[in-house]
Amino acid sequence: MPSLLDLPLSDPGVPDVRSGTRFLLWLEVRQWRGQLLATAWGTLHMAAVAAFPLPVGLAVQAVVDHSGRRLAAAGALMLLLGALTALGDTMLHRTAVTNWISVAARVQQLLARKTVELGAVLTRQVAAGEVVAVSTGDVEKIGWFVEALARFTSALLATVGVTVALLVYRPELGGIVAAAVPVLALAALPLLPAATRRADVQREKAGKATELASDTVAGLRVLRGIGGEDLFLDRYRRASQQVRAAAVHSARMWALISAVQTLLPGLLLVGVAWYGARLALDGQITAGELVTVYGAVGFLLMPLRNFEEIAMAWSFSRPSAKRAARVLALSRGGEAPSGTVSGDTADAAPAAAPPAAPGGDLCDPLTGLRAPCGLLTAVVCGDPDAAGRLADRLGGHSPSGRGGEPSATLGGQPLDALALAAARAAVLVQDKDPVLLSGTLAELLAVPSSGRVTPDEALAAAQCGDVLESLVQSLPEGETAPDPMRARITERGRSLSGGQRQRLALARSLVADPKVLVLDEPTSAVDAHTEARIARGLGAVRAGRTTVVLTSSPLVLDRADRVVFVDDGAAVAAGRHHDLLRTEPRYRAVVTREPDTGAAGTSAAAAPTTVPMEESA
């Protein structure tokens, strides 16, 4: 059982994500020591509380019989049981909370590891709102069920023990309790399916509201620009009201279940008290025995509440675990989803050192694209949406291996078949909307790198001079030698313009200096003069390295060693920029934004529409 001092875990394990139930079972197995300990302390606590009516009854009978010795013995037993109750309750709470936090931390580490593994592809496979819901509310519900199961186990043992003890102590009253307890425990079962359905509806609506809020916050700047804040605010308000109505609808059913769990045991207590009083008046049992039986039946109200709690915990945690398992089952490319192996054996296996990153040409068999090793290759896509998918595939981040699509290869080796560390060491993909983490500029550029490109060289190549000046102005006044590397960048670079964020992200990628760098529209937010200087600096810094730039900017295309035109999902032409302008009308139409007339310098009949793919730069 990991203690809170052991968090975060060095290895959260390989989860079984074939279903939500299997995922919960896997978490239970991983926490078995803590569960056993919590069950033991819970059983001690329940047993001490359940035994308390016995000394109370003995004390009452001692008073009736005027026995001071038995009264003192009963008082001593009460003190002992009180100490055991306090000890059991304290340690149960301690171990239960430890189990809850440990399970929640394990799930959060698994989600963080999956997020790092998938990168930008994660939000293309699952909605951002669902990821937020899983990492917040769902984690707590999963931890709740794992923690509540130990207390339910101790409550079940205590209920069976008290029932058996009453049968032995006073069979005439114990028989009534033994017949009633199964009915009380199972009385809420017919109501659970309806309660579960209502809870599922509530969670579904809450997830949609969270996703809507996440999308609204992410696009707030755009919404303000077009005056759409009120529209989205109304949409979120309606979604929020739907969540409220669903929550009230669900709470009513759980209130009914709680009422049943309170009413039926209360009726049993009244019935036992009435029948016991009749037996006491007839002289069949003593007053002390009546008090003992009454106290024991009253105790049963406490463990029976755990039956209601475990039903609620299961109802809420099952869909949460299912949602978490669905996120954790996502995989990059053709890699087998995690969760196919479970247990200590898989977790204990030492991690093999990642193989050396391969080298060679970067190829995409799906389109026929080839980026020669050591050259700057520019790629122009006739469909702008296809550029992002191609960038993901070239980085080995897309789920191309599923559904029969081939994986991109580097030096003849499929990227999807490589270990994640090796693939990322070989290929770095910069998305068209890169994220800047909060921190200083020095921390932003402190990325794993070869050391070949210094931060100053990368900043100069990315034309970040004005960005550095802006960051210097944000430093506290009075510094004699303000250093822009110590300037702080706000979350997601909100204080910077789009072009400034784009150039800082490019500088970060250049510092990393991977063998293969894939840039998706790296200069779309900068002006033409800056773009031309970036194109020159990129070629100089990346000399001898493989670089792929997905762009339609003539200024960048003119500096490329090789240009490939991808149209309708296939690489149809390759060569130098000016050659393609002259020989490929479709390419010319995309780059110059002119209609494809088939003329403009050469007729379609006089000029070929494709260039051999193996044409050298």
Side-chain angles (χ1 to χ4, degrees), residues 37 66 131 142 234 273 282 301 323 343 368 379 386 414 419 429 519 569 577 595 599:
L37 192 58
H66 304 286
V131 177
I142 292 170
D234 289 339
D282 293 341
L301 297 176
R323 189 154 48 206
V379 180
V429 178
L519 303 171
H577 169 58

Side-chain angles (χ1 to χ4, degrees), residues 371-504:
C373 179
L375 298 184
L376 172 59
T377 301
V379 180
V380 178
C381 292
D383 178 9
D385 294 334
R389 296 192 295 270
L390 177 58
D392 288 337
R393 201 159 53 245
L394 291 176
H397 299 312
S398 77
S400 57
R402 292 177 290 179
E405 293 184 359
S407 166
T409 62
L410 181 61
Q413 299 187 44
L415 288 176
D416 289 345
L418 295 176
L420 180 61
R424 294 211 169 148
V427 184
L428 173 65
V429 178
Q430 178 178 304
D431 192 69
K432 66 175 60 179
D433 187 21
V435 176
L436 301 182
L437 301 179
S438 59
T440 64
L441 180 57
E443 292 170 340
L444 175 71
L445 300 179
V447 295
S449 66
S450 65
R452 192 177 71 99
V453 181
T454 65
D456 290 339
E457 292 172 341
L459 291 169
Q463 300 300 309
C464 295
D466 62 315
V467 184
L468 298 180
E469 294 176 1
S470 175
L471 291 176
V472 166
Q473 294 176 1
S474 67
L475 290 171
E477 297 182 0
E479 294 194 14
T480 56
D483 183 5
M485 300 300 288
R486 293 192 293 105
R488 295 200 64 83
I489 298 173
T490 57
E491 183 184 4
R492 303 184 70 89
R494 293 192 310 270
S495 60
L496 303 173
S497 68
Q500 290 175 327
R501 290 196 301 271
Q502 199 172 57
R503 281 176 282 162
L504 283 180

Side-chain angles (χ1 to χ4, degrees), residues 199-484:
D200 289 344
V201 171
Q202 176 194 350
R203 279 187 295 273
E204 180 182 357
K205 293 184 179 297
K208 291 181 179 178
T210 303
E211 181 178 349
L212 179 60
S214 177
D215 292 342
T216 302
V217 172
L220 188 59
R221 179 174 296 183
V222 177
L223 291 176
R224 286 177 175 174
I226 63 176
E229 305 103 309
D230 293 338
L231 173 63
F232 272 76
L233 181 61
D234 289 339
R235 288 178 59 186
Y236 181 75
R237 184 181 291 112
R238 289 194 299 271
S240 179
Q241 290 301 313
Q242 291 175 358
V243 174
R244 181 196 60 80
V248 172
H249 193 55
S250 175
R252 286 173 179 167
M253 183 57 68
W254 288 112
L256 177 59
I257 292 175
S258 181
V260 170
Q261 291 288 338
T262 302
L263 176 63
L264 295 184
L267 293 177
L268 173 63
L269 186 61
V270 171
V272 169
W274 175 80
Y275 185 59
R278 291 283 304 273
L279 294 178
L281 291 173
D282 293 341
Q284 300 183 37
I285 62 174
T286 65
E289 290 173 335
L290 174 60
V291 171
T292 299
V293 173
Y294 179 83
V297 175
F299 158 78
L300 289 176
L301 297 176
M302 183 172 70
L304 286 174
R305 299 296 297 182
N306 289 100
F307 286 70
E308 175 193 349
E309 183 192 15
I310 197 64
M312 292 183 64
W314 167 252
S315 175
F316 280 91
S317 65
R318 180 185 53 82
S320 294
K322 181 180 179 180
R323 189 154 48 206
R326 184 167 60 246
V327 173
L328 294 174
L330 299 175
S331 63
R332 65 180 189 99
E335 185 176 306
S338 42
T340 55
V341 180
S342 62
D344 293 338
T345 302
D347 299 335
D361 294 350
L362 178 65
C363 300
D364 177 34
L366 191 63
T367 60
L369 169 69
R370 181 179 66 86
C373 179
L375 298 184
L376 172 59
T377 301
V379 180
V380 178
C381 292
D383 178 9
D385 294 334
R389 296 192 295 270
L390 177 58
D392 288 337
R393 201 159 53 245
L394 291 176
H397 299 312
S398 77
S400 57
R402 292 177 290 179
E405 293 184 359
S407 166
T409 62
L410 181 61
Q413 299 187 44
L415 288 176
D416 289 345
L418 295 176
L420 180 61
R424 294 211 169 148
V427 184
L428 173 65
V429 178
Q430 178 178 304
D431 192 69
K432 66 175 60 179
D433 187 21
V435 176
L436 301 182
L437 301 179
S438 59
T440 64
L441 180 57
E443 292 170 340
L444 175 71
L445 300 179
V447 295
S449 66
S450 65
R452 192 177 71 99
V453 181
T454 65
D456 290 339
E457 292 172 341
L459 291 169
Q463 300 300 309
C464 295
D466 62 315
V467 184
L468 298 180
E469 294 176 1
S470 175
L471 291 176
V472 166
Q473 294 176 1
S474 67
L475 290 171
E477 297 182 0
E479 294 194 14
T480 56
D483 183 5

Side-chain angles (χ1 to χ4, degrees), residues 135-158:
S135 60
T136 53
D138 287 338
V139 167
E140 294 187 3
K141 293 181 178 66
I142 292 170
W144 176 30
F145 174 77
V146 175
E147 174 265 335
L149 187 59
R151 287 187 285 108
F152 166 74
T153 304
S154 60
L156 178 61
L157 293 175

